[in-house]
Amino acid sequence: EANTLPKDDSSLENIVRRFQDSMSLSKRHKFWETQPVGQFKDVGDTSLPEGPIEPPTPLSEVKQEPYNLPSQYEWTTCDMDSEETCNEVYNLLKNNYVEDDENMFRFNYSKEFLRWALRPPGYYKSWHIGVRAKTSKKLVAFITGVPARIRVRDEVVKMAEINFLCVHKKLRTKRLAPVMIKEVTRRVHLENIWQAAYTAGVVLPTPITTCQYWHRSLNPKKLIDVGFSRLGPRMTMSRTIKLYKLPDQPVTPGFRKMELRDVPAVTRLLRQYLSQFVVSPDFDENDVEHWLLPTEDVVDSYLVESPKTHDITDFCSFYSLPSSILGNQNYSILKAAYSYYNVSTKTPLLQLMNDALIVAKKKDFDVFNALDVMHNESFLKELKFGPGDGQLHYYLYNYRIRNALRTSELGLVLL
Ligand code: MYA
């Protein structure tokens, strides 16, 4: 025991510790405390190295059988090619996935979106994991991973992006989530992958950064009617509608939808742009074709082709993620576009994103959302985005980052 000095309970260290213990940040996390993630007690410890927290184990030592579930439940691998399975997943999420703090809205990912999100290049079917009730075969829980190469500083790391963790409302707080997380971890390890990236609205040990959503009204009347936004002070409905009015057509010459033939140029543009951030995906042409080539009602991408040189100089994209409106007489769906990856080299980012708003409005989206990542802060206020409530925390599994990042150092958008 190196420290033989009696500990004075009133030492600053102890006062700080008792204060932290009383704060939510050091709530005990019985599960997360056992996992190779940055722990709250290590925040600020500059002696810890960046990189993997624990080394890979030999594949022969990875547990070969699934983890045990409570006896009424069984594992299932969800085949997203199957219309029937895709429907079951869609319905589980539609009824039980993420809601806002006031329970007014719930994400309603479309089936086409789920197929897109879960079948990128090199995906593993075994990472699309469901839990069924043994007797009724009803799908009651879900978690997924997809493979990605994520660059952290100058290291490209093979990771799993974990998403769509969902436990049926009737089965909450029974510690099913930790079993699901351990099972997806086991199946990722079986593919010799040892790191993961994920986001959550809840604080867990320990975010690499914490982002905020900003919202740009496109259909202010509906947003106010459904309680998504409120009339500002000293504002009337007609003044509000006028405030958010947009031109009918994009203003940038050469602004057009991305096509298959643009994949090489967009890949070059995006790789160059993303290289400046501390954490970003390492996209190749296959990834760009999958993640950014427009897919109707799923993802949209536009670019600026110089009318003179035909160079591709700028790029913007957004994905489509509607929310169910819970308990409104007049509307049942909120149509939301989410800013994805944007690159400006010639067109000012402000003008490029204004054109993105214009095309989103034409496609009948009610709201355009963006996180304060990458260079987004440079246009949010000027383009009349307002800050949302609630935060989105980004995490890495089994990879330590010494200090939390600024949101503008993050070049990663998860779905
Ligand atoms: S984020 C979206 C999460 N989904 C929802 O919010 C939908 C609505 N909510 C639910 O379905 C349930 O409330 C869920 C929890 C399923 C979230 N991420 O079973 P429990 C911890 C990680 O009794 P339930 C997304 O999809 C919690 O702190 N952990 O709780 C990314 C506690 O642990 P501890 C979470 O409410 C997911 C334990 O679970 C989350 O019935 C990334 C309680 O379990 C959360 N969002 O179910 C997953 N919420 O005691 C991690 C709660 O320690 C991936 N918990 O505090 C890690 C990388 C894995 C791969 C690694 C490969 C190398």
Side-chain angles (χ1 to χ4, degrees):
E1 174 69 76
N3 188 353
T4 55
L5 289 173
K7 279 247 197 277
D8 176 3
D9 207 36
S10 69
S11 70
L12 183 57
E13 191 192 349
N14 279 298
I15 292 166
V16 167
R17 183 181 48 72
R18 282 204 305 277
F19 174 70
Q20 284 182 338
D21 284 354
S22 72
M23 303 286 292
S24 63
L25 266 188
S26 55
K27 261 194 312 213
R28 287 290 166 261
H29 289 284
K30 276 243 143 57
F31 169 65
W32 281 109
E33 282 172 7
T34 68
Q35 298 298 299
V37 293
Q39 297 295 329
F40 291 144
K41 66 174 171 48
D42 298 332
V43 168
D45 185 341
T46 51
S47 72
L48 295 168
E50 286 208 339
I53 295 170
E54 53 181 45
T57 52
L59 283 184
S60 59
E61 286 172 25
V62 178
K63 193 166 137 48
Q64 293 297 306
E65 329 72 46
Y67 282 89
N68 288 326
L69 282 169
S71 61
Q72 319 88 289
Y73 303 105
E74 62 189 22
W75 296 110
T76 178
T77 294
C78 294
D79 178 359
M80 296 303 289
D81 299 336
S82 146
E83 191 62 36
E84 193 190 339
T85 309
C86 192
N87 260 317
E88 290 180 277
V89 168
Y90 169 78
N91 283 311
L92 174 73
L93 297 178
K94 172 169 140 24
N95 295 317
N96 300 278
Y97 200 49
V98 176
E99 298 178 10
D100 66 305
D101 289 339
E102 280 107 59
N103 313 103
M104 296 173 70
F105 309 98
R106 190 188 304 125
F107 283 149
N108 182 0
Y109 287 91
S110 70
K111 283 182 262 183
E112 272 320 299
F113 190 110
L114 292 169
R115 289 219 168 91
W116 171 69
L118 295 177
R119 298 185 306 173
Y123 78 93
Y124 303 96
K125 206 191 307 186
S126 61
W127 292 7
H128 303 159
I129 307 172
V131 173
R132 292 186 189 278
K134 271 185 190 163
T135 47
S136 67
K137 303 291 172 198
K138 185 182 152 86
L139 186 70
V140 296
F142 193 57
I143 190 168
T144 67
V146 293
R149 293 178 316 282
I150 305 285
R151 184 185 50 75
V152 184
R153 303 195 202 278
D154 47 22
E155 216 74 79
V156 176
V157 185
K158 277 187 157 187
M159 295 199 193
E161 291 176 351
I162 308 297
N163 204 346
F164 305 115
L165 168 59
C166 182
V167 167
H168 193 285
K169 286 186 179 224
K170 293 204 168 132
L171 299 178
R172 298 278 170 87
T173 67
K174 297 179 189 298
R175 311 300 297 183
L176 213 49
V179 188
M180 303 194 62
I181 294 167
K182 284 192 278 188
E183 182 60 14
V184 75
T185 302
R186 189 185 70 83
R187 296 189 193 192
V188 171
H189 285 167
L190 286 172
E191 304 299 340
N192 201 19
I193 294 175
W194 305 88
Q195 271 73 35
Y198 50 104
T199 57
V202 293
V203 178
L204 305 165
T206 298
I208 60 163
T209 192
T210 294
C211 300
Q212 207 177 14
Y213 267 112
W214 289 66
H215 309 285
R216 205 301 183 174
S217 299
L218 301 174
N219 186 355
K221 175 153 190 322
K222 174 170 169 184
L223 294 178
I224 291 167
D225 285 350
V226 304
F228 184 91
S229 34
R230 276 196 298 255
L231 263 189
R234 293 176 302 282
M235 285 295 278
T236 61
M237 189 62 85
S238 58
R239 285 182 69 194
T240 305
I241 291 168
K242 198 171 150 207
L243 176 68
Y244 292 115
K245 225 172 155 45
L246 288 161
D248 288 330
Q249 299 293 336
V251 303
T252 309
F255 187 92
R256 62 166 174 84
K257 214 174 171 83
M258 178 188 175
E259 299 173 20
L260 185 59
R261 63 184 163 102
D262 301 314
V263 165
V266 168
T267 306
R268 269 180 267 129
L269 194 65
L270 199 59
R271 289 185 65 84
Q272 173 65 34
Y273 178 72
L274 290 177
S275 68
Q276 69 190 291
F277 302 105
V278 177
V279 174
S280 82
D282 180 64
F283 282 145
D284 65 17
E285 291 187 5
N286 283 324
D287 300 317
V288 167
E289 179 174 338
H290 179 81
W291 291 119
L292 294 165
L293 196 62
T295 300
E296 179 89 346
D297 296 329
V298 172
V299 63
D300 259 301
S301 298
Y302 293 82
L303 47 73
V304 182
E305 174 177 348
S306 161
K308 281 203 192 107
T309 65
H310 299 285
D311 288 338
I312 309 300
T313 56
D314 312 276
F315 174 81
C316 63
S317 58
F318 51 86
Y319 59 86
S320 171
L321 167 48
S323 280
S324 306
I325 304 172
L326 309 176
N328 185 280
Q329 301 292 313
N330 302 320
Y331 298 101
S332 58
I333 288 283
L334 188 69
K335 290 192 72 183
Y338 286 73
S339 173
Y340 199 26
Y341 292 97
N342 311 304
V343 183
S344 94
T345 69
K346 288 270 157 51
T347 310
L349 186 58
L350 196 82
Q351 182 181 321
L352 185 70
M353 294 311 295
N354 201 52
D355 281 347
L357 294 176
I358 292 166
V359 293
K361 170 75 192 171
K362 282 189 54 134
K363 289 185 172 254
D364 202 37
F365 286 101
D366 299 313
V367 63
F368 191 101
N369 299 329
L371 290 164
D372 53 359
V373 297
M374 296 181 268
H375 293 136
N376 292 359
E377 261 157 336
S378 72
F379 64 76
L380 292 171
K381 285 183 180 153
E382 271 198 86
L383 293 181
K384 301 174 187 163
F385 286 71
D389 46 12
Q391 298 185 307
L392 187 68
H393 309 280
Y394 276 75
Y395 302 95
L396 296 179
Y397 184 94
N398 194 23
Y399 202 97
R400 187 186 295 106
I401 298 275
R402 204 174 292 114
N403 293 302
L405 310 185
R406 289 186 286 270
T407 59
S408 59
E409 292 176 316
L410 185 69
L412 177 65
V413 177
L414 299 178
L415 305 172

